[in-house]
Amino acid sequence: MILESKDLLGIDELKKEEIENILSYADKMLACVEGRKNLDNLKGKCVATLFYENSTRTRVSFQNAALFLGAHTVALEEAGSSILKGESLVDTVSTLKSLNVDAVAIRHPMSGAVHYAARNTDIPIINAGDGAHEHPTQALLDALTVKRRFGGFKGLKLVIAGDIKHSRVARSNILLFNKMGADVTVCAPLSLMPDGIEDMGCRVVTDLDQALKGANAVMALRIQFERQKSGFVPSLKEYSAFYRIGTEQLSKADKNAILMHPAPINRGIEITGSAADCDRSVICSQITSGLAVRMAVLDILVRRI
Amino acid sequence: MNILLKNTDIGDIFIQDGIIKSIGSEISSADKIYDCTALTVLPSFLDLHTHLREPGFCAKEDIDSGLKAAAAGGYFGVLAMPNTSPAVDNEFVLEYVKNKADKAGYAKMFPIAAITQGLEGDKLTEMFKLSETGAVAFSNDGNPVFQSQTMLLAMKYAKTKNLLIISHSEDKSLSAGGVMNEGKVSCKLGLSGITRAAEEVGIARDIILAETTGCRLHIAHVSTKGAVQLVRDAKKRGVNVSAETCPHYFAGTEELVGKYNTFAKVNPPLREESDRLAVIEGLKDGTIDAIATDHAPHTLEEKNREFDVAPFGISGLETAFSLSYTVLVKSGIITLKKLAELMSINPCKISGIDMPEIKIGNKANITLCDLNKKFKINPDNFFSKGKNTPFKGKEVYGKVMMTFNDGILKFYNGEIL
């Protein structure tokens, strides 16, 4: 079996070999995706997306992944479902199970909510982002993108810049790239840097130019507008002046460096439009990799292969 | 009615009508004889910090179950926090809980009344009247008085009649939204952290206000290295301050949260190893005067939730002695005599509650423990309705076997009498 656990809750739970095996399987899926070849691995199966937070990209990615594997899908969103009537997460999951759903991808604003769900059901739970904790399929798709470009991870320098404190993408990527032998640097003003981040195995550099020096992969993170309202940064203008990644900042990185972003992007805030559209930007291929990774994960967990 | 406790560590104890008649003399007959070979005699414990949840939250605990848990934990009495619904902020609610507790009788209940009405705002409770009705101290516990001016006035008012203020010191603007200690574990779990500064800023303020007013101040559940140092410095300056910690702050760390174990969610939060060691140092050098439980029972339904929304609190009455004995005494850090001071003698002094010494002519207020008994903590055996402990399955030493309260045997060998 590729995965020991019935669930995919976080990168933290994965062994290096498991990550490698998911990535190899996702690589095969990516070939199918690029060749527009649909599969029937999950024919007759049903995958649910249970999203307690707004998201189009990730939800559609999971749904398409299921559809391209021959499964059908159910989408539950907060509005219009019994969630609004006060049903607990665990009760909602058992309802889905009773409706013959074979796996549930959950996005939830609370860290660890997916663990709570997974502990209380025997169907596979896939973490599609929980609070500020993890977003494992995002890290896996970032890894697939990097692996495709560079062939491997050993000695590679990854720089993650932006709102590290509230970012599940940052946490999953720090864990994953660490496990794979890359070198991770995080960059943000200290008000957006969580205490104890170094213990996850990354370097903290608060100056963007310095952080970018020699980087092979640069990951810009979105800064949410509400962060400024809550006082984490004095203004988005000041934030952009010191932490926005443009082509000029990118020139500090290695000459073959790639620019990544989990999207959606705020052009002009954490990333300039010209950087997002430049030939180093792999933002679009990240999204395609995401489809492949989610196909791989769904197939692995639902069929227990 | 006379009782003979045969072969305790201090010899045979003969109790007649609740009064200790002899210690160490060979006596062979009595109405009731208990074989106490291998049992050690301690003064019964007093808990400075218990939540009995009644009125208002009886699914979590009620006075009856809470006092049973106290007796089973070796306690003759508990100080009950006023954050019930309605709160203990007037003499009528106070009378109500007192009557309930008297009727239960398994252990004594000494009520703590609120500092402010409804545990909120800036209107002081009628402290003098409440004190006359039986309140032994005043505290807003988890809803600490936010306005410094209100706290200053409360302390001045309390000082008038030398009343005791117990403070759960916390700057809520610093801890807002936090659910566990801020640090490497909260970072990894993506949970909002509670900075140590929230506790320390709160304690610093309350110490300064106690120094300003001369009011007697007791600091609840000290959990950080910095907090221990603040209390130590204050005592050195002669401030009228005492402090408690709880077993979970020296028996565990934030690592117990693991992958979102809500049983380890408590406020103040479990901290890091350096804090744990500093708390132990504070117990050793007398900076921390007492071990209290902060017994905070919750239902399993409430705890089996997303970590962010599960309530704070650990059920502690029935594990306090074993955890303290195992971590502090068995390991050689403090003596058993010191532990008795921390769990019994000092809490009595701080709260002004009289407890008879263990000597001939006094009422028997004693707890007998089997110190060599090794067992695993099993919440299924708790008398408390709160089974919420992160120490489930932990191997400990020191089992409470008998609890005497005012000369009457209330707990014996796993049974409430």
Side-chain angles (χ1 to χ4, degrees), chain A residues 12-13 89 108 110-113 115-116 119-120 132-133 165 171 194-195 197 199, chain B residues 182-184 186-191 195 259-262 304-309:
Chain A
D12 193 39
E13 282 84 358
L89 173 58
H108 201 285
M110 293 177 195
S111 301
H115 294 71
Y116 163 62
R119 269 199 290 271
N120 289 286
H133 174 229
K165 191 181 176 84
R171 284 174 180 77
D195 283 7
I197 189 82
D199 287 290
Chain B
E182 180 158 62
K184 58 178 196 289
S186 69
C187 175
K188 195 167 178 186
L189 294 176
L191 291 171
T195 166
K259 288 278 178 185
Y260 307 97
N261 177 7
T262 56
N304 186 24
R305 289 293 310 274
E306 295 89 343
F307 198 89
D308 279 347
V309 291

Side-chain angles (χ1 to χ4, degrees), chain A:
Chain A
M1 263 181 308
I2 295 179
L3 274 180
E4 200 183 295
S5 166
K6 78 169 174 72
D7 310 294
L8 176 63
L9 301 179
I11 300 297
D12 193 39
E13 282 84 358
L14 298 180
K15 294 188 201 74
K16 190 181 174 194
E17 303 73 54
E18 290 179 312
I19 295 170
E20 278 167 353
N21 292 337
I22 296 171
L23 290 178
S24 319
Y25 197 52
D27 212 22
K28 284 183 208 151
M29 291 294 176
L30 190 54
C32 298
V33 169
E34 285 169 347
R36 307 247 7 182
K37 187 183 155 208
N38 288 2
L39 303 170
D40 59 3
N41 300 18
L42 295 187
K43 197 168 170 216
K45 303 285 182 188
C46 181
V47 172
T49 52
L50 178 54
F51 275 50
Y52 292 81
E53 263 185 2
N54 290 334
S55 154
T56 12
R57 202 163 323 261
T58 306
R59 187 168 46 79
V60 170
S61 181
F62 269 106
Q63 285 167 347
N64 273 6
L67 290 169
F68 293 164
L69 286 167
H72 53 129
T73 64
V74 183
L76 260 83
E77 281 160 87
E78 187 154 6
S81 78
S82 56
I83 299 160
L84 276 183
K85 298 176 193 160
E87 188 177 54
S88 82
L89 173 58
V90 165
D91 288 337
T92 305
V93 170
S94 8
T95 303
L96 289 171
K97 192 197 160 192
S98 307
L99 290 167
N100 282 354
V101 163
D102 297 286
V104 189
I106 300 176
R107 168 161 294 189
H108 201 285
M110 293 177 195
S111 301
V114 290
H115 294 71
Y116 163 62
R119 269 199 290 271
N120 289 286
T121 186
D122 54 7
I123 57 172
I125 298 295
I126 300 154
N127 184 359
D130 65 325
H133 174 229
E134 282 223 44
H135 192 355
T137 56
Q138 176 71 41
L140 287 163
L141 75 86
D142 290 333
L144 184 61
T145 309
V146 166
K147 193 183 160 201
R148 278 228 154 178
R149 179 61 65 105
F150 297 105
F153 302 94
K154 198 107 199 106
L156 219 63
K157 184 179 171 184
L158 169 71
V159 176
I160 308 174
D163 181 0
I164 308 296
K165 191 181 176 84
H166 303 96
S167 176
R168 51 192 171 217
V169 175
R171 284 174 180 77
S172 285
N173 270 306
I174 292 167
L175 291 169
L176 187 148
F177 281 85
N178 242 317
K179 284 188 183 184
M180 305 312 288
D183 168 63
V184 185
T185 299
V186 289
C187 180
L190 291 178
S191 56
L192 290 176
M193 195 67 85
D195 283 7
I197 189 82
E198 295 93 339
D199 287 290
M200 289 185 75
C202 58
R203 266 185 315 142
V204 172
V205 178
T206 52
D207 181 81
L208 183 61
D209 284 351
Q210 215 183 317
L212 290 176
K213 244 176 239 165
N216 304 105
V218 179
M219 189 180 293
L221 298 179
R222 189 163 68 97
I223 173 137
Q224 294 176 0
F225 295 119
E226 56 262 33
R227 301 301 172 217
Q228 187 246 321
K229 283 189 212 123
S230 355
F232 287 97
V233 291
S235 70
L236 290 179
K237 194 167 138 244
E238 165 141 319
Y239 180 80
S240 303
F242 288 85
Y243 290 97
R244 180 172 53 205
I245 294 174
T247 44
E248 192 197 323
Q249 284 73 32
L250 266 185
S251 69
K252 308 281 193 291
D254 184 83
K255 61 181 186 342
N256 295 316
I258 56 168
L259 174 63
M260 300 193 285
H261 193 300
I265 61 176
N266 291 325
R267 287 173 187 259
I269 307 229
E270 75 272 359
I271 188 167
T272 65
S274 50
D277 300 330
C278 76
D279 53 6
R280 293 173 170 217
S281 167
V282 295
I283 297 172
C284 288
S285 57
Q286 279 176 277
I287 295 168
T288 316
S289 298
L291 191 54
V293 159
R294 287 168 187 132
M295 286 170 76
V297 168
L298 286 174
D299 201 12
I300 290 166
L301 290 177
V302 173
R303 286 201 295 141
R304 301 293 296 140
I305 50 173

Side-chain angles (χ1 to χ4, degrees), chain B residues 125-320:
Chain B
T125 55
E126 293 171 340
M127 290 189 194
F128 297 170
K129 184 77 197 168
L130 285 162
S131 161
E132 277 179 1
T133 317
V136 296
F138 294 84
S139 179
N140 270 15
D141 199 41
N143 308 300
V145 178
F146 184 72
Q147 291 289 342
S148 300
Q149 168 69 0
T150 307
M151 193 61 163
L152 180 84
L153 284 176
M155 285 196 191
K156 278 193 172 172
Y157 196 72
K159 166 72 180 165
T160 316
K161 289 194 183 290
N162 198 28
L163 306 176
L164 174 67
I165 297 276
I166 299 179
S167 180
H168 164 126
S169 301
E170 174 184 351
D171 184 326
K172 290 272 185 185
S173 71
L174 286 170
S175 57
V179 294
M180 72 169 295
N181 182 52
E182 180 158 62
K184 58 178 196 289
V185 179
S186 69
C187 175
K188 195 167 178 186
L189 294 176
L191 291 171
S192 287
I194 299 174
T195 166
R196 291 174 180 75
E199 178 173 340
E200 292 160 10
V201 168
I203 291 179
R205 179 197 77 167
D206 291 337
I207 283 174
I208 290 165
L209 294 178
E211 199 166 14
T212 305
T213 58
C215 177
R216 282 199 295 143
L217 171 68
H218 177 71
I219 307 282
H221 44 50
V222 165
S223 78
T224 76
K225 188 176 174 181
V228 174
Q229 193 56 41
L230 282 166
V231 175
R232 188 177 285 134
D233 291 345
K235 284 189 164 183
K236 229 175 258 169
R237 288 202 305 280
V239 183
N240 203 349
V241 63
S242 56
E244 73 189 27
T245 190
C246 310
H248 39 272
Y249 299 119
F250 56 76
T253 66
E254 59 180 2
E255 300 292 340
L256 285 173
V257 173
K259 288 278 178 185
Y260 307 97
N261 177 7
T262 56
F263 285 179
K265 182 177 176 182
V266 59
N267 189 25
L270 301 178
R271 307 283 186 180
E272 289 177 23
E273 183 64 8
S274 56
D275 298 295
R276 193 183 77 84
L277 295 175
V279 165
I280 290 178
E281 199 49 46
L283 285 165
K284 258 169 78 178
D285 73 9
T287 300
I288 300 173
D289 306 87
I291 295 171
T293 65
D294 193 4
H295 177 72
H298 291 292
T299 64
L300 293 179
E301 288 73 25
E302 291 167 303
K303 279 289 193 181
N304 186 24
R305 289 293 310 274
E306 295 89 343
F307 198 89
D308 279 347
V309 291
F312 290 102
I314 290 174
S315 179
L317 279 170
E318 289 164 89
T319 56

